[in-house]
Amino acid sequence: MKLRSETFRDGGLMPAEYAFAEIDPVNRVRLAGNRNPHLAWDEVPNGTESLALFCFDPDAPQDASLANRADSTLPLMAPRRDFFHWSLLDIPLAIDVIDAGQFSSGVTARGKQAASVSWLDGSGPYQLRQGINDYSLWFAGDPAMAGDYHGYDGPCPPWNDERLHHYIFRLYALDVPQLALPERFTARDAHDAIYGHVIDEAQLVAAYSLNPAVAATLKK
């Protein structure tokens, strides 16, 4: 199975238009376009009943209290964990492309609330499901932003982080038409649910930083 994108090259930089936030020379960061990237795939193996798409950042700090602090940097070697940005489930075999901005365009305070999304094309109507991403935990203590963040929300790494963050888009071919999940589920729940059902997988990786010192080196 092969995965490709017109938005970024594998191992290259994610354009700010597809991030949750971008560098602001005055206020450090500002909200960005938050569009989901274009993704397309082919060579899906025989026996596949559905596809599942995930995006996660393996470079997120384990200790969130270190993030975005003006009095210190977040060290390169600080412990890290996965931060899930997207889960899209029950993708039928008739679908082989996701357009840029199709599932997200702009930042929605308190999160996008639609757990399921309708897809209508020439091959018929489909109902896809999206899990709650990890911004729900990140903004839990912020009254202006707290909520269930379903679907895609793009990169927003700490602006004081010395580490370049990597965003892994991974597509799984599954042997079931639908994963057994409750009505309300997180991207982590969905990722756990694919265990034992994966036939094949493919991935792309994009890099992003909100630290001006790190970003400056990437432009050279």
Side-chain angles (χ1 to χ4, degrees):
M1 189 162 64
K2 294 182 179 179
L3 182 62
R4 62 188 185 277
S5 177
E6 295 175 356
T7 300
F8 61 91
R9 64 175 178 82
D10 188 26
L13 297 180
M14 176 69 79
E17 179 183 355
Y18 300 88
F20 193 93
E22 61 185 340
I23 294 174
D24 186 320
V26 177
N27 299 309
R28 292 200 175 93
V29 298
R30 62 191 174 212
L31 297 179
N34 201 39
R35 303 179 72 211
N36 68 269
H38 166 274
L39 294 166
W41 52 89
D42 54 22
E43 299 185 21
V44 176
N46 292 334
T48 301
E49 294 289 333
S50 70
L51 299 160
L53 176 67
F54 295 85
C55 174
F56 63 96
D57 170 14
D59 300 308
Q62 287 187 13
D63 185 355
S65 69
L66 299 174
N68 302 324
R69 290 178 53 169
D71 61 345
S72 65
T73 61
L74 206 167
L76 180 68
M77 300 308 295
R80 306 291 167 153
R81 65 176 182 86
D82 292 341
F83 187 105
F84 280 87
H85 287 263
W86 195 13
S87 59
L88 180 64
L89 310 182
D90 308 338
I91 305 171
L93 301 187
I95 294 174
D96 60 6
V97 62
I98 292 172
D99 293 330
Q102 184 173 356
F103 288 89
S104 179
S105 184
V107 173
T108 303
R110 301 187 180 89
K112 294 181 283 293
Q113 300 301 307
S116 62
V117 288
S118 297
W119 184 304
L120 181 62
D121 62 15
S123 61
Y126 304 106
Q127 200 73 14
L128 282 60
R129 292 181 293 169
Q130 298 189 106
I132 297 168
N133 66 51
D134 282 345
Y135 280 108
S136 296
L137 294 174
W138 184 262
F139 289 125
D142 184 344
M145 296 293 287
D148 282 348
Y149 283 71
H150 288 91
Y152 178 82
D153 285 296
C156 187
W159 48 258
N160 66 335
D161 201 340
E162 295 178 351
R163 180 178 294 201
L164 177 65
H165 284 233
H166 298 85
Y167 298 85
I168 299 174
F169 292 82
R170 187 172 291 163
L171 183 70
Y172 292 96
L174 305 179
D175 64 2
V176 290
Q178 188 175 73
L179 292 169
L181 288 162
E183 182 176 350
R184 184 184 186 276
F185 64 90
T186 68
R188 292 174 184 273
D189 295 333
H191 197 259
D192 289 342
I194 69 172
Y195 180 78
H197 296 292
V198 177
I199 298 174
D200 198 2
E201 62 185 74
Q203 72 174 35
L204 295 172
V205 182
Y208 195 73
S209 178
L210 291 175
N211 183 331
V214 175
T217 65
L218 300 173
K219 294 176 182 177
K220 295 179 181 179

